[in-house]
Amino acid sequence: MLPSQDRLHSVHWGYTTPLLCPIINTYKQKKHMPFEPVPVTSDDLVAFLSERHGEEVQTPALREAAAHYNCSYATVKKRLQKYNVGKGKWNLTVTEALERNFQQPAVSPAVEIKNLVPDVDSNYVPFGNFSDLKKIIKSKVFYPVFITGLSGNGKTFGVEQACANLKRELIRVNITVETDEDDLIGGFRLANGDTVWHNGPVIEALQRGAVLLLDELDLASNKILCLQSILEGKGVFLKKTGQQVYPAPGFTVVATANTKGKGSDDGRFVGTNVLNEAFLERFPLTFEQEYPSPVVEKKLLNNYCSELDCCDDEYITNLCTWAEIIRKTFAEGGVDEVISTRRLVHVIRAFAIFGDRLKAIKVCLNRFDDETKESFLELYTKIDAKVDVSDAELLQELNEV
């Protein structure tokens, strides 16, 4: 029997409109329209899931909640987004989830590093500011130190050996213009399908109470300013995890650089930058490191010769005299290049390989331009020929070349 005309119409806002179909009315009564909000909150879902499954839940539990509240799985997943701690995994306590992600390592190392104390190098000979630096590290007082000096004069080596002698852990970070907060502090990494926190070297040093060595600091960009609070001894607040990390006893910072953070006007150290003045001000102490004296340098080279089984006392004495004269001339502006302690060690190693004094020097001088190389070689031949002249005369001869 067909329904009457009255049953096919309804009054809406004063107008009579036909009802589309009794089936649509039934659908309206039983189903939510797409534009209507789903009447379930994150708190409802957390309470339901916690009661039935505890704080750790997975995908099947979320599907059960979707069926219980008559909504889609996608809706439940969206409501619980902030509790997600991995693929198909949810922790219903946000603080605990972040804490677990922070503490879990991103990658399991092949060999667990339990000791970061550097090895003692028997070739090293203490000089310069070594004893003062050692006292600072031994005190375990937080006291950032900035060490500046020309290339190859043992700045980094001295810090390593001070920590080695004191059996203090050392974490060395080589700074470049690309170094940023993620490299230093750390960040989230993907490991085995989970997003987990991975400590950067700075956080590792903070927590271990180690000495943090920022090597070649003057190569840094302004991204290095993320270390401001750390250089004040206050630790750091991790924005990505909402956690404050405080320094363990013994933590301190040592920085090395070829400049004083003001850039390189003479172009010798291309790539060095002008560092922020407020950042530099957070280093209370600055050491100016010079090259070791000829006496110290001779002991150092003798140690390397003994290790390489190529002892030649006369050759070592000649090399130290040669380097000292060139350095004096460099300081007076007579030459544009200098022979570093590191280069003398290179010469000794070359001598151990080739067994030829002059060849060892020549191959290690090839990095210089032809004019500089020839003048340095000529000077050495005069020294090695046992020409009995004073340093002043040698300096004059070098300037005339």
Side-chain angles (χ1 to χ4, degrees):
M1 179 177 177
L2 294 174
S4 66
Q5 185 70 17
D6 291 341
R7 293 178 63 187
L8 291 176
H9 290 75
S10 65
V11 178
H12 182 66
W13 293 99
Y15 297 94
T16 301
T17 58
L19 292 174
L20 297 178
C21 179
I23 297 176
I24 296 180
N25 282 338
T26 303
Y27 175 81
K28 284 185 176 181
Q29 293 171 6
K30 293 185 178 180
K31 295 290 184 180
H32 297 290
M33 296 299 289
F35 50 81
E36 292 181 352
V38 177
V40 59
T41 65
S42 298
D43 292 340
D44 294 334
L45 292 169
V46 169
F48 174 80
L49 292 169
S50 297
E51 182 179 353
R52 297 197 175 203
H53 303 282
E55 295 176 351
E56 300 281 343
V57 296
Q58 297 183 2
T59 300
L62 266 67
R63 295 192 183 279
E64 180 185 337
H68 176 79
Y69 286 104
N70 194 28
C71 61
S72 67
Y73 167 72
T75 298
V76 175
K77 188 176 179 180
K78 184 177 181 180
R79 293 283 192 274
L80 299 177
Q81 185 175 8
K82 67 179 180 179
Y83 298 96
N84 184 252
V85 294
K87 187 176 181 181
K89 299 177 182 178
W90 289 262
N91 186 305
L92 302 180
T93 306
V94 178
T95 304
E96 292 180 4
L98 286 174
E99 183 72 18
R100 189 183 67 173
N101 280 352
F102 174 78
Q103 293 178 350
Q104 182 178 357
V107 180
S108 298
V111 178
E112 185 178 359
I113 300 175
K114 297 182 179 180
N115 189 351
L116 295 175
V117 177
D119 294 330
V120 174
D121 193 323
S122 59
N123 295 326
Y124 183 73
V125 179
F127 72 97
N129 301 301
F130 180 81
S131 59
D132 292 333
L133 177 64
K134 191 175 177 180
K135 288 178 182 177
I136 294 172
I137 295 174
K138 184 178 180 180
S139 72
K140 294 190 176 183
V141 174
F142 178 77
Y143 200 58
V145 177
F146 191 99
I147 305 175
T148 180
L150 294 176
S151 177
N153 66 3
K155 298 183 295 295
T156 302
F157 195 17
V159 178
E160 290 177 348
Q161 290 309 296
C163 290
N165 289 340
L166 296 170
K167 301 189 183 305
R168 291 291 312 279
E169 290 192 318
L170 174 71
I171 295 180
R172 174 181 174 181
V173 184
N174 289 89
I175 304 298
T176 72
V177 70
E178 300 295 335
T179 303
D180 59 15
E181 184 172 354
D182 193 72
D183 298 323
L184 297 168
I185 304 299
F188 285 103
R189 306 285 187 267
L190 188 63
N192 302 322
D194 292 336
T195 304
V196 295
W197 175 265
H198 180 69
N199 282 347
V202 174
I203 300 300
E204 198 68 27
L206 274 169
Q207 294 183 327
R208 298 176 76 111
V211 176
L212 176 65
L213 174 57
L214 302 174
D215 205 17
E216 309 291 355
L217 183 63
D218 52 356
L219 294 176
S221 68
N222 58 5
K223 296 174 185 176
I224 201 73
L225 295 178
C226 66
L227 300 182
Q228 293 279 62
S229 64
I230 293 169
L231 288 172
E232 294 172 357
K234 299 177 181 178
V236 63
F237 181 78
L238 303 176
K239 300 185 288 290
K240 296 178 181 178
T241 66
Q243 188 174 36
Q244 178 75 27
V245 180
Y246 294 99
F251 171 76
T252 195
V253 180
V254 180
T256 65
N258 295 128
T259 70
K260 293 184 178 181
K262 303 297 183 182
S264 177
D265 294 333
D266 57 8
R268 289 182 57 81
F269 303 107
V270 176
T272 56
N273 296 307
V274 177
L275 299 179
N276 183 279
E277 186 65 25
F279 178 80
L280 292 173
E281 189 64 21
R282 283 168 168 77
F283 287 92
L285 188 149
T286 299
F287 286 138
E288 295 178 326
Q289 178 132 325
E290 304 291 343
Y291 288 109
S293 66
V295 174
V296 171
E297 210 156 46
K298 185 176 179 180
K299 290 180 181 178
L300 183 69
L301 296 183
N302 266 315
N303 290 341
Y304 279 101
C305 281
S306 298
E307 180 186 60
L308 298 168
D309 194 22
C310 62
C311 294
D312 188 332
D313 291 340
E314 183 183 46
Y315 187 43
I316 291 174
T317 300
N318 291 339
L319 286 175
C320 293
T321 303
W322 173 64
E324 180 67 9
I325 294 171
I326 292 175
R327 290 169 192 165
K328 289 180 179 179
T329 309
F330 172 81
E332 295 171 0
V335 291
D336 296 328
E337 303 289 353
V338 68
I339 298 296
S340 67
T341 304
R342 182 189 292 129
R343 188 134 305 267
L344 290 180
V345 174
H346 293 336
V347 172
I348 291 298
R349 292 188 184 279
F351 178 63
I353 295 171
F354 301 115
D356 186 302
R357 291 185 180 185
L358 195 57
K359 183 174 182 178
I361 294 175
K362 288 179 68 175
V363 294
C364 291
L365 288 181
N366 283 337
R367 67 168 291 270
F368 300 119
D369 61 76
D370 290 341
E371 183 179 354
T372 300
K373 181 176 67 174
E374 290 173 6
S375 63
F376 284 2
L377 277 173
E378 184 176 350
L379 174 61
Y380 179 76
T381 58
K382 293 176 181 179
I383 294 173
D384 207 11
K386 299 181 180 179
V387 177
D388 188 14
V389 293
S390 66
D391 283 356
E393 290 173 333
L394 283 172
L395 290 172
Q396 183 177 359
E397 290 178 8
L398 182 60
N399 288 327
E400 292 174 353
V401 172

